[in-house]
Amino acid sequence: MRMDRDITKIVAVSVLFVIGLCSDLVLNADRLVLLAVFGAGYLVSAYGIFLRFVRNIRNGTLFDENLLMLIATLGAFAIGEYPEALAVMLFFNVGEMFEERAVERSRKSVSALLDIVPDSANVVRGGELVSVHPEKVSVGETIIVKPGEKVPLDGVVTEGCSSFDTKTLTGESVPRDAGPGDEILAGFIDLSCKVTVRVTKEYGDSSAVRIMEMIEESASRKSRSERFITVFARYYTPFVCLLALTVAAFPILVLGLDSGTWTYRALALLVVSCPCALVLSIPLGFFCGIGCASRFGILVKGGNYLEMLAKTDTVVFDKTGTLTKGTFSVTDVHPDGISEEELVGLAAKAEFYSDHPISAGIRERNCRAMDSSSVGVSMAVPGMGVVTEVEGRRIHAGSSRMMMDLGHAPRDGCCSGTKVHMASEDGYLGHIALSDTAKTDSEWTVGSLRGMGIRTVMLTGDNREAAEGIADRLGIDEVRYELLPEDKLRILEEMISGSGGSTVFVGDGINDAPSLARSDVGIAMGGLGSDAAIDAADVVLLNDAPSNVVTAIRISKRTMRIVRQNIVFALAVKAVIIVLVSAGVLGMYAAVFGDVGVMVIAVLNAMRCLRTKGV
């Protein structure tokens, strides 16, 4: 392993360093002997840096920390400061080992998500069970998932019931039960019983594969801070080289001062000026932040979105499927001239062919077994309802606007919620009220955001009464209702233009995709959300819990706080040591601390991003 090789190298160089010091201080060995001992240690420790330096020359990126280290240490050898030269390389190798270990720890948090799909699927073909790679399984085929196995493809359970561990995908610790008709996703782990699954998505379109692709893409999306440091290092290194040359040349050539003293100070200046602490710790901080978020089932598609989340001042929510479960239940039945049972029965038949959640709620309320033979042609009226032939009668089921267009005066009563009005050729038949149920953590989420000083807004296409009912119950600051997708987008743009921070939009449906793409940070519900919403979003909540919006913002704020700490700490310490080294107060070993010591402290501080707590 690379870590073992690094430790072996550091131990070998340390032994040579101690032998060299003893030879110099105790045995008073000849300079050629010292050069041989310290030189051997230097070649072992500097071998990797030499290789990177040569590679940089080929790539046209000459000026970086490798150049500074080589100039400083080779210069120290040239003026006879062998121990200092080897010490610089030794401690630089120690710092690189700490950095590699920190990156490996943060990478493990993300790599757990990259190992969520098994290499094989048990598919039923010709009456036999065949093990093939998931890529070779087609939509509609049947696969078998046994206890302890990972689900290889998205699908619907057709036989059997079992509990599934969804933690890797969603961050949820509580197993999810699934039986016939329930959807399960690739990456779920079967905990108890064998199930038969009908595949609904090809391997490349499965949730797990798309998540892996998004994780791999996230590393290429740098934050503004990361981009600044990359540009900063590009110009900073040649500036430092010029400054060190001036520190060495001006006192020697112009003032006639001792060449050895000022050359030594210039070399120490090169060491302390290495930008390693910033170049390593800042990208590592964002990487650790993304890794931490993944443990809670929050997929952040890049460090730039983590940085934007930390500036959030407004969170805009969609309603159905985001703050609410999207499942409607009947709360009130108000018949007009017929019985409640007859009204519900007619409504269930009128909505027989509709897959709208409201239609499903009405059908669930109907206690009688449905007789489809009495249901004729059904036609949807966009934005208003449906018209269906039921038992030879033309039944209209829909909004109050539909009733008014028919010449009826709908009677809303005093009940709240979404209302479905019913009418036939004979006249108005009454209405049924349904309510959407808020998710268990929605109220806590809104309250927590308000406690953080973040304004909350809800945009919905639902009617005023239903929208305001949910908003009042949850404590939403502002609500807009009866909106089309273009209306949501227009209102969102107005909020963005008037915002001093970041405007976040949270949604789950296809109609939310434009708003997710336009917002400063779009957050999609990834468990049951549409593919279009997930693709358009910058952050995906794999378990559909609104409370993870709070977790994501907390992680982003902590990550940015740690990144800023590293920037201020590194620049401040380096500035002080540069001044003291230039003045001759401090020497090479202090310069080594100013480079390697500061880098190790900054890297260890960046790793704290991994330990951010959830809600």
Side-chain angles (χ1 to χ4, degrees), residues 463-480:
N463 62 63
R464 174 178 179 175
E465 197 169 27
E468 290 184 342
I470 289 290
D472 291 341
R473 195 183 318 159
L474 302 182
I476 298 283
D477 294 320
E478 181 182 348
V479 59
R480 305 282 188 92

Side-chain angles (χ1 to χ4, degrees), residues 154 169-170 183 185 201 207 210-211 214 297 321 439 507-508 523-531 533-534 537 539-545:
D154 293 359
L169 227 64
T170 67
E183 181 184 16
L185 304 178
K201 290 183 181 178
S207 302
R210 291 174 63 239
I211 288 169
M214 287 187 281
K439 293 182 178 179
D508 71 315
I523 301 180
M525 299 293 173
L528 298 175
S530 71
D531 292 348
I534 294 171
V539 179
V540 180
L541 308 183
L542 300 179
N543 61 3
D544 284 350

Side-chain angles (χ1 to χ4, degrees), residues 309 504-507 516 519 521-525 537-541 549 552:
L309 267 177
V504 175
F505 183 85
V506 188
L516 287 166
S519 58
V521 180
I523 301 180
M525 299 293 173
D538 309 311
V539 179
V540 180
L541 308 183
V549 174

Side-chain angles (χ1 to χ4, degrees), residues 240-280:
V240 167
C241 290
L242 182 61
L243 178 62
L245 181 62
T246 303
V247 168
F250 184 79
I252 297 171
L253 299 178
V254 178
L255 303 179
L257 299 178
D258 179 61
S259 60
T261 299
W262 286 98
T263 301
Y264 178 82
R265 292 181 185 181
L267 295 174
L269 177 64
L270 286 176
V271 172
V272 71
S273 299
C274 281
C276 302
L278 298 177
V279 172
L280 296 179

Side-chain angles (χ1 to χ4, degrees), residues 408-607:
H408 302 303
R411 290 178 280 281
D412 286 346
C414 58
C415 57
S416 61
T418 301
K419 297 180 181 64
V420 176
H421 297 271
M422 303 286 297
S424 70
E425 299 96 328
D426 301 326
Y428 184 70
L429 300 175
H431 67 270
I432 300 172
L434 301 94
S435 293
D436 193 0
T437 307
K439 293 182 178 179
T440 54
D441 57 347
S442 291
E443 185 174 355
W444 181 91
T445 300
V446 173
S448 297
L449 290 173
R450 294 181 69 181
M452 297 165 69
I454 297 173
R455 186 169 69 109
T456 56
V457 181
M458 186 175 77
L459 305 181
T460 179
D462 214 336
N463 62 63
R464 174 178 179 175
E465 197 169 27
E468 290 184 342
I470 289 290
D472 291 341
R473 195 183 318 159
L474 302 182
I476 298 283
D477 294 320
E478 181 182 348
V479 59
R480 305 282 188 92
Y481 42 83
E482 297 178 359
L483 302 175
L484 297 174
E486 54 266 32
D487 297 324
K488 289 184 179 181
L489 187 60
R490 174 180 52 78
I491 294 171
L492 184 63
E493 288 178 339
E494 292 173 359
M495 292 180 179
I496 293 172
S497 62
S499 173
S502 297
T503 299
V504 175
F505 183 85
V506 188
D508 71 315
I510 294 176
N511 62 331
D512 294 325
S515 297
L516 287 166
R518 177 62 184 88
S519 58
D520 293 322
V521 180
I523 301 180
M525 299 293 173
L528 298 175
S530 71
D531 292 348
I534 294 171
D535 290 339
D538 309 311
V539 179
V540 180
L541 308 183
L542 300 179
N543 61 3
D544 284 350
S547 57
N548 270 345
V549 174
V550 178
T551 301
I553 293 175
R554 284 181 177 174
I555 290 173
S556 69
K557 287 181 178 293
R558 177 174 167 83
T559 300
M560 289 308 303
R561 186 163 58 247
I562 290 174
V563 166
R564 284 192 289 267
Q565 287 172 359
N566 281 342
I567 293 174
V568 172
F569 171 73
L571 293 179
V573 172
K574 285 179 178 291
V576 171
I577 295 180
I578 285 174
V579 173
L580 295 178
V581 164
S582 300
V585 177
L586 298 177
M588 185 68 77
Y589 289 104
V592 170
F593 170 77
D595 174 37
V596 179
V598 169
M599 178 185 71
V600 170
I601 293 172
V603 164
L604 293 177
N605 190 43
M607 289 178 66

Side-chain angles (χ1 to χ4, degrees), residues 377-394:
V377 178
S378 181
M379 180 181 65
V381 182
M384 298 179 71
V386 295
V387 181
T388 307
E389 293 290 337
V390 179
E391 298 172 355
R393 302 167 64 190
R394 192 174 179 84

